[in-house]
Amino acid sequence: MQIPGKLNAKQKSVYRKLFAELRKRKSKSDDILTSDAHDNVFSEVHCLDCANCCKTHAPIVLQKDIERISKHLRIKQHEFVSNYLLLDEDGDWIFYTVPCPFLQSDNKCGIYEVRPKACSEYPHTNRKKLYQLEDITLLNAEICPAVKPILDNINRQISNL
């Protein structure tokens, strides 16, 4: 599986137009369309072949994530925070190392069952109102090899309507 790179100007323009169209439409049927595109692409893309998200970016870790993960690890919350997290410039908790400290050599997650919400929802392409996530989706298109095909699929379907 090829890891994506920076979007070129033409790709950015195409995807920005797609998001503008989605924002204009604000259709519930587009939620189904985006979810279907996500499912179709992920039926062929296997995250364990890549794990680029875990290798290159630190997810936001919410308080509920801290509680759940520290319980799973059988350590106190303050120990989990001091051993694994730092506050970023936005005041969000993130893992202090990249790649993720829980990423194993086989690309599996050592805390998969209790992973942070940001990880379980990544790359966020099956969320309702995808048009609200333009910036993060375009960033994720440079990280996750599934995002461009998902956006291309959505774009083709909307163009055919």
Side-chain angles (χ1 to χ4, degrees):
M1 175 179 309
Q2 181 151 350
I3 307 264
K6 290 276 186 198
L7 294 174
N8 64 40
K10 182 179 178 185
Q11 290 170 315
K12 278 187 183 178
S13 175
V14 167
Y15 296 145
R16 293 232 182 256
K17 287 177 185 172
L18 169 63
F19 276 95
E21 180 65 21
L22 290 171
R23 267 191 306 282
K24 184 174 86 177
R25 294 160 53 107
K26 292 184 182 176
S27 168
K28 289 186 187 233
S29 65
D30 289 344
D31 292 341
I32 296 166
L33 186 146
T34 58
S35 180
D36 288 349
H38 172 95
D39 292 345
N40 289 338
V41 170
F42 273 104
S43 70
E44 297 179 16
V45 172
H46 304 286
C47 294
L48 295 180
D49 292 340
C50 172
N52 196 40
C53 51
C54 305
K55 293 174 183 174
T56 63
H57 288 79
I60 293 174
V61 181
L62 303 173
Q63 181 59 39
K64 287 183 177 186
D65 299 325
I66 294 170
E67 294 165 9
R68 190 176 59 255
I69 297 167
S70 59
K71 182 178 179 181
H72 174 80
L73 296 174
R74 296 187 173 132
I75 60 175
K76 296 190 182 303
Q77 290 178 36
H78 71 86
E79 291 177 86
F80 176 72
V81 169
S82 64
N83 289 336
Y84 295 102
L85 303 179
L86 62 84
L87 278 174
D88 70 5
E89 62 276 356
D90 296 324
D92 295 317
W93 289 112
I94 61 171
F95 288 123
Y96 76 94
T97 61
V98 175
C100 175
F102 299 101
L103 180 64
Q104 300 172 348
S105 61
D106 60 358
N107 285 344
K108 290 184 179 178
C109 175
I111 58 167
Y112 186 80
E113 315 79 39
V114 295
R115 68 197 184 279
K117 180 181 179 187
C119 299
S120 66
E121 293 182 350
Y122 191 83
H124 313 288
T125 47
N126 62 344
R127 300 246 312 257
K128 291 182 179 179
K129 300 180 182 178
L130 182 64
Y131 60 84
Q132 295 176 339
L133 303 174
E134 178 177 357
D135 291 338
I136 191 75
T137 302
L138 295 181
L139 174 65
N140 290 341
E142 298 178 345
I143 300 165
C144 176
V147 176
K148 286 182 201 174
I150 290 168
L151 294 176
D152 292 341
N153 185 313
I154 295 166
N155 201 25
R156 266 191 313 278
Q157 292 188 55
I158 286 178
S159 296
N160 290 333
L161 294 179

